[in-house]
Amino acid sequence: MINLKKFKYEPGEHEAETASNSYLMSLIAIIMGLPLPIINLIATLIFYLGNRKGTYFVRWHCTQALLSQTSMLFINSYGFWWTISIIFSDENISNNYIAYIFATLIFNVTEFIATIYTAIKTRNGIHVEWWFYGTLTTLICKSGK
Amino acid sequence: MEAQKVEMFIMSNSKFFESHQINGIRERLIAIDDSKWAMISTIQLKDPTTILIVSILAGSLGIDRFMLGDTGLGIGKLLTCGGLGIWTIVDWFSIQKATREKNMQKIQQFLY
C-alpha cells in the first residue's frame, strides 16, 4: 500500500519540513474540523496553493496530501449527510447504513495512520508513495522548471 | 567584507533564514563592500519563533500577518475571522517559512 521510493533528487532539510507539514496540517485540520468533512480539504488546498511555487518535492507531497483528502471528502460527506438525515428526518438506521459507516471508519483510520507514517518519513527526507495516489500524483505534478 | 565579521553575522542570525540560503548570504557578504556593514548589522529581522507564537495565540485576528508586513493579508484574515479558522491552521504550519522568506527579502536589498 505504501512504497518507500527514491526521489529524483535528494531533498533538502527545508523541503522535507514543508512536505511533512502538508500532512501534519491535514491531520490538525481533520481534528479541528470534526465533524465537518470539508475543513481538511480546504486547509490542504490553501496549503497547496501557498506552496505551488515551491520545489518539486514539496509540490509532489502537497499534491498527494490534497488528492487523498479529496477522496476522503466524497466518502465522508455521504456518511455525514446520511447521519444528519437519520437524526433530523424519518429515516431509520438500516443495515446498509451501519455497513457504510463501518467501511468509512476503516477507511478514515487507515488514511489517518498512513498520513502520520508519511509525515514522519517525509520529515526525514524519505519519499513515500501511496498506492494509487502516488501514481496519480506523479501524473499530475510535473517536475518542469 | 572581513570573513570574521561575516561569520559573526551568520552565527547570530542563521535562525532567521532558511538553511539552504545561508551559504549564499555568506558568499555575498564576503563579496560586498565594507561600507555596507553598518546598514547590514542594524537590519531588524523578524524571529520565526516569535511570529509562530503570535500566530498560535492571535492568528485568527491576523496579527501574525500584520507583524510580517503583509497588511492586506492581515486585514483579509481579520475580517474573515482567520478564514473561518482554516487559514489560521494553515498559517501555523507556513508562517515560519514566510517569516524566513521576508527576512531574506529584507537582507537582499542590502546585498545586491
Side-chain angles (χ1 to χ4, degrees):
Chain A
M1 291 287 278
I2 290 179
N3 297 319
L4 301 180
K5 287 190 178 174
K6 199 154 178 65
F7 202 60
K8 280 183 179 176
Y9 61 92
E10 196 67 38
E13 169 72 13
H14 65 290
E15 292 176 67
E17 190 178 350
T18 315
S20 175
N21 276 352
S22 70
Y23 295 104
L24 280 181
M25 203 261 325
S26 72
L27 284 181
I28 301 285
I30 288 173
I31 294 163
M32 300 286 277
L34 278 176
L36 286 175
I38 200 169
I39 303 292
N40 48 345
L41 181 70
I42 297 171
T44 319
L45 183 66
I46 296 172
F47 197 84
Y48 168 77
L49 292 175
N51 285 298
R52 69 186 186 285
K53 284 178 184 168
T55 58
Y56 182 44
F57 186 75
V58 173
R59 278 187 292 122
W60 199 97
H61 282 280
C62 285
T63 312
Q64 182 168 256
L66 183 65
L67 287 175
S68 66
Q69 298 301 326
T70 311
S71 61
M72 295 273 288
L73 173 77
F74 296 113
I75 294 166
N76 288 349
S77 294
Y78 195 77
F80 177 75
W81 291 111
W82 198 346
T83 312
I84 293 289
S85 69
I86 284 172
I87 295 170
F88 294 105
S89 74
D90 302 334
E91 206 171 329
N92 293 318
I93 297 174
S94 61
N95 282 343
N96 284 349
Y97 173 76
I98 293 169
Y100 187 83
I101 291 298
F102 187 67
T104 308
L105 203 68
I106 290 175
F107 189 77
N108 273 279
V109 169
T110 313
E111 207 270 352
F112 200 78
I113 293 167
T115 307
I116 294 170
Y117 177 78
T118 314
I120 295 166
K121 286 288 176 192
T122 316
R123 186 68 187 80
N124 296 325
I126 300 165
H127 180 59
V128 181
E129 279 193 19
W130 293 9
W131 169 81
F132 176 70
Y133 296 108
T135 324
L136 196 61
T137 309
T138 312
L139 290 172
I140 293 173
C141 197
K142 300 284 176 221
S143 58
K145 290 187 177 177
Chain B
M1 209 147 59
E2 275 177 48
Q4 201 182 350
K5 274 184 187 173
V6 174
E7 281 310 315
M8 196 178 73
F9 181 84
I10 296 291
M11 272 170 65
S12 53
N13 294 303
S14 61
K15 66 174 178 176
F16 299 130
F17 305 103
E18 294 278 13
S19 53
H20 66 285
Q21 294 168 336
I22 302 282
N23 273 337
I25 295 172
R26 182 185 284 120
E27 281 167 19
R28 194 63 211 151
L29 279 174
I30 288 172
I32 62 166
D33 193 61
D34 225 4
S35 60
K36 287 191 175 176
W37 171 246
M39 280 191 293
I40 286 170
S41 60
T42 52
I43 298 175
Q44 294 285 315
L45 297 167
K46 299 275 191 309
D47 188 353
T49 316
T50 313
I51 302 280
L52 178 64
I53 293 167
V54 172
S55 183
I56 291 168
L57 297 177
S60 51
L61 300 174
I63 310 291
D64 47 350
R65 287 288 172 184
F66 287 124
M67 279 180 78
L68 272 190
D70 295 333
T71 315
L73 288 177
I75 291 171
K77 213 172 163 183
L78 176 68
L79 294 179
T80 56
C81 291
L84 299 174
I86 302 170
W87 191 352
T88 312
I89 297 171
V90 175
D91 263 356
W92 290 347
F93 291 92
S94 59
I95 201 77
Q96 283 194 302
K97 191 182 174 205
T99 314
R100 292 193 187 106
E101 268 161 22
K102 279 276 170 192
N103 285 337
M104 189 61 193
Q105 282 174 13
K106 201 179 264 185
I107 200 170
Q108 267 178 343
Q109 294 170 354
F110 298 99
L111 291 180
Y112 294 98

